[in-house]
Amino acid sequence: MQKLLCGLTCVALALIGAGSASAQNSVKIGMINEYSGQFADTGAQIDHGVTLWMKQHGDTVAGKKIELIRKDTGGMFPDTAKRLAQEAIVRDHADILGAFSLTPNALAAADVSKQAKKFMVVMNAATSIITEKSPYIARTSSTTPQLNYTLGQWAAKNGIKTVYTMVSDYGPGIDAETWFQKGFKDNGGKVLGSVRFPIANPDFSSFVQAAKDKNPDAIYIWIPGGAQPAAVGKALAERGIDTKKVKILGQDALASETALKSMGESSLGIITVSDYDYNHQSPMNKEFVKTYNAEFHRNPDFFSIGGYDGAHLIYAALAKTGGKADGDSLIAAAKGMSWESPRGPIMIDPETRDIVQTVYIRRVEKVGNELLNVEIAAVPNVKDPAHGAKK
Amino acid sequence: MLPALGVLFDGAAYGMLLFLMSVGLSVTLGMMNFVNLAHCSFAMLGGYVTVTLMNALGWPFLATLPAAFVAGAAASIVLERIFFRRFYNSNELNQCLLTIGIVFMSIATAAYIYGTDQQPMQLPSYLQGSFTVAGIDLAVYRLFLIVVAALITAVLMLTLESTRFGAQVRAAVNNQRMARGLGIDVDRLFAVTFALGGGLAGLGGGLALPMLGLDPSFALTYLIYVLIVVSVGGLGSIAGSFVAAMLLGVADMAGKYYVPALGSVLIYLVMLVMIMWRPTGLFGRR
Amino acid sequence: MTSETLAAAASAAPAGPNEFLRAQARWRWSEIAFWLATLLPFVLTPDYLILASQVAITALFALSLDLILGFSGIVSLGHAAYFGVGAYTAGLISVWGWGEPLTGLLAAGLAAGIVGYITSFVIARFRHLALIMITLGFCLLLQEAANDANWLTGGFNGLQGIQTWKLLGIFDFDLYGYTAYAYALAGLFVIFLVARRIIHSPFGLALRGIRENSARMPAIGAPILSHIRTIYTIAAIIAGIAGAMLTQTTETASLESLGFQRSADVLVMLIVGGTGRLYGGLIGAAVYMVARDQFSGLNPQFWYFWIGLLLIAIVMFLPNGILGGLELLARRLKVWP
């Protein structure tokens, strides 16, 4: 029995020995990400974004070699995420923590960032309070209020008077519902009714029917990515929703590339809000999409851009500190940093350390033979409204 | 009344899907007492076969369904010959461990080959959309599902009641030892039944694509629902699985339409009530 | 048999039930070696202490499952319900202002025990598949309820604001995990002693009788239902304490502590280690969690595959789990542990 424990420990030691490198001239980034399980695809896209940046810009910044240490949380397991963050710092001597696709995981790891005073870059998790949990966190993705308040505001200002909202019954969905309704009501709109459906809901027909019965100008739907967008599309088609008469409003995942492929023509006319789409018409983005495709044989999405810009931020901050990788120097350098990303101009707010960016309203249209998200409006310099900086 | 009929229709379609995915497990659990938690892996396999044939080889949707059935059946036979038959007399926990190991490997393999994203697929146009009958919107695909599943159920019931094979299956489920004593080759019977169950699961997986989507975690996500159908319906009973699946499908739809706050909880509540009332299932024996 | 061999057999056998129990309860050298080995991580692998603390906590959880599954034959797919109740209780007490760990443990154990006691009235009446599905259903319902009550539990984001005070007023829960592992290990050891005492008692024997043949037990005067309720409640208390320890050492409490995956994982670990042997859960937890950590580190995307392969290998070559296999080996080599 003790042989077993000893044997295992020896194997573990050997593996540590094999994996460690000299800590002086390298800066290690602990990627606390989902590489397996339900969220593995978003994790992969974030990882791709980071590795593409590193490939394009080399792996040395200010004389230090940048190394990625990949840690798999397997899904929504905050205790595992926290342990992996701790281990990345203690065992692997990581200087920076990155990735963080899921809010509970980010919140748990934030404690570690605060305690160990390490720079942490959130590349996807979208709940506002995350940046408040540690003074060393910066975010390069988007926040739910930022996107949904803007959508609500735009809808009310663009001829939609009544809306029925449907969201997934968990943190991000409830967040989205709150801020969309706020943006909508603040600008004169009326919410006719709302419903929250269970998280892993496979079938939306009954909910869509209930919405249709209320006869609103628009139906707002918030669901996470995965199987749900396609299922929603089917429900919309089955219930005979005409998107020209009843507008369908939603957030990015509703009109992601896979969702559009599955929904087919029934997705035409769906209006979504996002910070990034591969169809964004800028020369920088066209180049980005081309390189991304060459490397990974698929189009980038808003997860990828979070990773890409996250890596950009890390490199830029390190360059500014001249290679000093402690938390205080890096976050000081990161505050206020702004640059042109494939998504458009972005900035790290010096007060909240959260992202300030252009938010796009897009509609699904047929361009040639493809179904694409075509931008119909762009709202620049949107700060996260939950942190008090409302537009 | 009208929305209620619509809910009934939708629930029936969902229930049919659950039935197809569960009936195989019910019969094999009832006959050989073999806990096969990898049952939904066969469904997942059927789904992936359908997607591959449609997207990569351009097959029409309907033609891929028999292929999904064959894939599920073939995988069942292979696994049964190599692994499962060693564990018929083993205790249930070991069977659990074995089949969970297989589920994990199947999930990882699917992720490796297809990636972890949702598999996109487009239904042929004649199966899309809906038509209105007496004020109710009936989705074409759901109607198709109900028809197909009803046909399969009829065939299964006929087989069970009117053929020699069916009689042997019923005998083996009822009392295995006695059946062996009468000269019935129970092992071969089980292999055939197992293949049939796996094939139906594969078919269910293919049919489920437009409604439930497909990604590598499918094998685990729907396992819970399949277990619920099997336990509520009763082990070894096709009729039981059918009634349980319909009950759960309709309850789920009705709950979501009328009391959305209850959401997915209704299915668990119904299950708890049913099992406490009838611990061996609606039509179960032991 | 001749009279001599009969006499020899009679003198070799224990004199009575108390003797039997005492013989079973003797501390074997392998057990002592095991517990000494658990101190090794402090010295040999100080970088792995956080993982070690979580292994110890999961081992405690697996031990609680062994009491009902391995020793009493109650198969539960929803044992995480009690783990989660304990986790949230400890978390809530901390959020409401009292972060002292040891009293938090007691409160969590009490809360989980109450829930366990109430549910045991239902659980005790069912067997086989019905029992499995009822335990599963109850756990799923509890998780949904916790998600809905997000004003209390924090819902999806998890409970925020948990702050664990210093252990015994002196030891801070540090980044490296020294305190966490010492705390978890001490808790595991103390409760293990209690569990061991329960098992090697007439009550424990009765439980094993219920597992083997529950129809016969009433005939010899054992009250099955009340015994099952008792052990189920005890198991719930222990699971709750494990959950509380996780909350206190990680300062997080989230819905997955009540989830199906947690219930299923601990069941797998127990079977891997070997049921009904007290140490099975501990070894299974250690092997499974370390293997998962290592596979995940080597191959973050497809470690599922290797874990699946490991499970299949174990079930094919070690049908009674790792401990069962070791016992077989010991018997062959005629080495008595």
Side-chain angles (χ1 to χ4, degrees):
Chain A
M1 167 56 230
Q2 76 217 74
K3 283 211 187 105
L4 187 64
L5 261 180
C6 259
L8 282 170
T9 329
C10 288
V11 171
L13 277 174
L15 285 161
I16 307 169
S20 66
S22 69
Q24 264 98 332
N25 283 324
S26 63
V27 169
K28 300 200 178 100
I29 307 175
M31 295 279 285
I32 314 296
N33 203 0
E34 286 70 52
Y35 290 104
S36 70
Q38 237 188 321
F39 302 96
D41 196 61
T42 64
Q45 290 284 69
I46 295 175
D47 197 83
H48 289 333
V50 172
T51 44
L52 182 61
W53 175 272
M54 287 181 67
K55 185 157 185 233
Q56 288 178 326
H57 296 86
D59 59 358
T60 316
V61 178
K64 301 281 178 100
K65 184 158 150 43
I66 309 290
E67 271 178 58
L68 287 183
I69 302 176
R70 295 178 168 85
K71 299 266 187 201
D72 177 31
T73 62
M76 215 169 305
F77 301 112
D79 52 321
T80 307
K82 187 165 182 179
R83 171 171 68 84
L84 292 174
Q86 276 172 299
E87 285 176 359
I89 293 175
V90 154
R91 203 196 298 173
D92 305 298
H93 307 291
D95 305 283
I96 302 172
L97 295 173
F100 299 110
S101 166
L102 301 169
T103 299
N105 294 357
L107 288 171
D111 283 342
V112 177
S113 152
K114 191 162 142 188
Q115 206 181 355
K117 298 195 172 46
K118 297 286 181 195
F119 185 47
M120 175 167 145
V121 181
V122 172
M123 299 178 192
N124 183 52
T127 310
S128 304
I129 53 167
I130 296 175
T131 44
E132 291 167 32
K133 276 213 97 181
S134 156
Y136 300 98
I137 296 181
R139 180 174 4 220
T140 57
S141 44
S142 58
T143 70
T144 311
Q146 189 180 45
L147 296 179
N148 289 287
Y149 185 85
T150 313
L151 180 64
Q153 195 180 48
W154 176 89
K157 288 187 183 161
N158 281 277
I160 297 173
K161 295 196 190 51
T162 57
V163 79
Y164 184 91
T165 68
M166 318 198 286
V167 302
S168 282
D169 193 3
Y170 72 130
I174 299 173
D175 227 5
E177 180 194 81
T178 314
W179 286 95
F180 173 80
Q181 288 190 356
K182 201 159 190 296
F184 192 65
K185 286 195 271 197
D186 278 356
N187 288 279
K190 186 158 171 260
V191 176
L192 294 179
S194 66
V195 77
R196 292 178 184 172
F197 26 68
I199 301 176
N201 182 46
D203 197 355
F204 293 87
S205 27
S206 29
F207 297 108
V208 173
Q209 185 62 45
K212 194 178 170 197
D213 290 343
K214 287 262 177 3
N215 218 1
D217 283 338
I219 302 178
Y220 171 80
I221 306 177
W222 194 97
I223 40 167
Q228 315 230 317
V232 165
K234 264 147 205 115
L236 292 174
E238 280 174 8
R239 298 288 143 202
I241 303 270
D242 178 0
T243 54
K244 282 194 266 299
K245 289 204 233 116
V246 179
K247 299 208 168 34
I248 305 294
L249 304 172
Q251 199 184 311
D252 34 36
L254 187 62
S256 72
E257 202 181 341
T258 326
L260 292 181
K261 280 210 191 88
S262 292
M263 287 198 256
E265 309 243 328
S266 60
S267 66
L268 282 172
I270 291 183
I271 298 174
T272 52
V273 64
S274 177
D275 57 349
Y276 178 77
D277 187 83
Y278 69 92
N279 190 38
H280 176 63
Q281 304 291 322
S282 82
M284 191 183 224
N285 188 42
K286 289 209 170 91
E287 186 61 38
F288 174 63
V289 173
K290 207 169 81 178
T291 341
Y292 197 92
N293 266 291
E295 190 75 24
F296 305 113
H297 311 293
R298 63 188 289 193
N299 285 317
D301 55 19
F302 47 93
F303 301 115
S304 323
I305 202 73
Y308 191 73
D309 282 324
H312 182 135
L313 180 64
I314 291 174
Y315 270 48
L318 266 175
K320 198 161 165 195
T321 64
K324 277 180 22 167
D326 63 286
D328 290 296
S329 314
L330 284 175
I331 196 68
K335 283 184 191 165
M337 225 170 226
S338 67
W339 66 92
E340 183 79 21
S341 146
R343 71 177 105 170
I346 65 177
M347 178 179 81
I348 304 295
D349 188 322
E351 284 157 22
T352 64
R353 294 164 278 107
D354 219 328
I355 190 156
V356 181
Q357 58 186 334
T358 307
V359 172
Y360 301 95
I361 314 285
R362 319 89 50 88
R363 183 171 47 221
V364 180
E365 287 172 14
K366 197 153 188 184
V367 179
N369 260 335
E370 278 184 276
L371 290 166
L372 295 174
N373 285 309
V374 173
E375 284 161 24
I376 56 178
V379 184
N381 292 328
V382 180
K383 292 193 188 186
D384 177 50
H387 285 132
K390 252 197 341 232
K391 260 212 63 162
Chain B
M1 240 302 99
L2 286 184
L5 285 178
V7 165
L8 204 65
F9 178 73
D10 288 342
Y14 184 42
M16 294 289 191
L17 209 52
L18 286 177
F19 167 67
L20 283 176
M21 289 204 284
S22 317
V23 65
L25 184 61
S26 179
V27 177
T28 52
L29 244 176
M31 190 191 286
M32 271 318 215
N33 233 334
F34 183 80
V35 181
N36 178 20
L37 296 178
H39 189 76
C40 282
S41 293
F42 301 136
M44 187 171 78
L45 176 66
Y48 275 113
V49 163
T50 301
V51 161
T52 314
L53 289 176
M54 274 182 75
N55 292 350
L57 294 179
W59 283 32
F61 178 63
L62 290 181
T64 64
L65 295 177
F69 179 88
V70 168
S76 306
I77 294 178
V78 166
L79 282 174
E80 201 259 338
R81 292 280 117 173
I82 301 181
F83 290 108
F84 297 168
R85 58 183 26 231
R86 295 170 208 268
F87 289 89
Y88 287 160
N89 295 319
S90 188
N91 81 61
E92 298 156 339
L93 295 178
N94 281 349
Q95 294 169 351
C96 274
L97 207 62
L98 174 74
T99 49
I100 285 182
I102 293 177
V103 174
F104 282 178
M105 287 179 75
S106 71
I107 293 178
T109 312
Y112 184 70
I113 301 178
Y114 293 95
T116 50
D117 204 4
Q118 274 297 302
Q119 294 301 314
M121 62 96 62
Q122 273 281 301
L123 274 179
S125 48
Y126 54 86
L127 282 177
Q128 287 183 25
S130 62
F131 56 94
T132 321
V133 166
I136 319 170
D137 280 328
L138 298 177
V140 176
Y141 191 70
R142 280 173 210 264
L143 192 61
F144 170 71
L145 259 180
I146 293 181
V147 167
V148 167
L151 272 172
I152 294 177
T153 314
V155 167
L156 281 175
M157 294 303 288
L158 263 173
T159 315
L160 202 63
E161 296 299 319
S162 317
T163 66
R164 188 142 165 248
F165 170 73
Q168 290 180 335
V169 168
R170 275 183 289 137
V173 170
N174 222 316
N175 192 331
Q176 207 200 98
R177 209 174 284 176
M178 196 63 176
R180 272 187 216 271
L182 289 173
I184 297 178
D185 187 348
V186 176
D187 288 329
R188 201 177 65 94
L189 195 66
F190 186 62
V192 174
T193 315
F194 203 77
L196 203 62
L200 283 172
L203 179 65
L207 285 170
L209 267 177
M211 274 183 69
L212 303 178
L214 181 66
D215 64 18
S217 63
F218 188 94
L220 274 178
T221 316
Y222 288 95
L223 182 61
I224 299 184
Y225 294 114
V226 166
L227 283 176
I228 293 179
V229 168
V230 164
S231 54
V232 169
L235 302 179
S237 163
I238 295 180
S241 302
F242 187 81
V243 173
M246 294 299 276
L247 178 67
L248 290 166
V250 172
D252 194 48
M253 285 291 149
K256 285 177 185 159
Y257 185 74
Y258 291 111
V259 197
L262 272 184
S264 53
V265 172
L266 196 63
I267 249 189
Y268 306 142
L269 279 173
V270 170
M271 169 191 70
L272 280 175
V273 166
M274 294 300 297
I275 291 197
M276 288 202 242
W277 174 46
R278 280 228 199 272
T280 52
L282 286 169
F283 293 81
R285 254 155 234 113
R286 269 166 292 119
Chain C
M1 275 172 68
T2 64
S3 54
E4 288 97 350
T5 45
L6 270 173
S11 60
N18 288 331
E19 288 287 318
F20 173 71
L21 281 176
R22 237 169 295 174
Q24 290 251 301
R26 247 188 321 115
W27 278 88
R28 298 175 174 71
W29 63 257
S30 58
E31 291 184 73
I32 300 178
F34 172 81
W35 289 105
L36 285 177
T38 58
L39 295 172
L40 284 176
F42 281 115
V43 179
L44 282 181
T45 57
D47 286 343
Y48 282 79
L49 287 178
I50 304 162
L51 178 62
S53 71
Q54 294 190 354
V55 169
I57 290 170
T58 314
L60 184 61
F61 184 36
L63 176 66
S64 78
L65 185 65
D66 203 9
L67 287 176
I68 55 173
L69 175 67
F71 287 100
S72 320
I74 302 171
V75 185
S76 169
L77 254 184
H79 207 50
Y82 311 105
F83 185 88
V85 167
Y88 274 104
T89 307
L92 284 169
I93 292 182
S94 170
V95 167
W96 292 334
W98 182 258
E100 203 283 311
L102 293 173
T103 43
L105 278 191
L106 290 175
L110 186 65
I114 293 174
V115 177
Y117 183 65
I118 298 174
T119 50
S120 70
F121 279 90
V122 175
I123 303 286
R125 295 188 182 279
F126 296 95
R127 304 242 103 195
H128 305 304
L129 187 60
L131 177 62
I132 296 177
M133 296 311 288
I134 288 178
T135 51
L136 175 62
F138 176 66
C139 188
L140 289 170
L141 273 179
L142 197 62
Q143 191 183 31
E144 257 319 294
N147 182 35
D148 283 340
N150 54 19
W151 51 271
L152 182 69
T153 61
F156 172 78
N157 289 349
L159 201 54
Q160 300 300 317
I162 300 175
Q163 291 232 309
T164 312
W165 297 351
K166 296 194 213 242
L167 181 62
L168 302 176
I170 318 170
F171 303 103
D172 203 6
F173 282 91
D174 59 295
L175 196 64
Y176 282 75
Y178 280 98
T179 316
Y181 185 50
Y183 181 51
L185 190 59
L188 175 65
F189 186 61
V190 166
I191 296 181
F192 180 83
L193 290 176
V194 171
R196 200 171 184 282
R197 187 71 193 78
I198 294 176
I199 290 304
H200 293 310
S201 72
F203 175 65
L205 279 182
L207 289 176
R208 273 179 268 185
I210 293 174
R211 177 190 68 197
E212 296 305 319
N213 194 337
S214 57
R216 195 144 171 202
M217 290 305 286
I220 54 175
I224 309 184
L225 292 182
S226 93
H227 277 353
I228 291 183
R229 285 200 300 266
T230 312
I231 195 65
Y232 198 78
T233 310
I234 294 175
I237 294 175
I238 299 178
I241 291 179
M245 273 205 246
L246 184 68
T247 299
Q248 290 169 343
T249 53
T250 59
E251 289 181 339
T252 64
S254 68
L255 290 177
E256 57 81 33
S257 64
L258 286 166
F260 172 60
Q261 176 131 6
R262 197 169 273 279
S263 298
D265 276 349
V266 75
L267 183 62
V268 167
M269 289 182 223
L270 183 59
I271 303 174
V272 162
T275 58
R277 289 171 173 85
L278 275 183
Y279 285 93
L282 313 194
I283 294 187
V287 168
Y288 190 78
M289 287 184 72
V290 172
R292 188 164 66 182
D293 188 63
Q294 292 306 307
F295 286 151
S296 164
L298 290 173
N299 195 343
Q301 273 145 321
F302 306 112
W303 58 265
Y304 252 63
F305 187 84
W306 304 111
I307 282 279
L309 199 58
L310 179 69
L311 291 180
I312 296 178
I314 288 183
V315 84
M316 291 196 71
F317 301 118
L318 298 170
N320 281 318
I322 293 179
L323 277 187
L326 286 176
E327 266 170 29
L328 213 62
L329 194 65
R331 224 171 287 163
R332 291 248 174 92
L333 296 177
K334 303 241 192 292
V335 173
W336 301 112

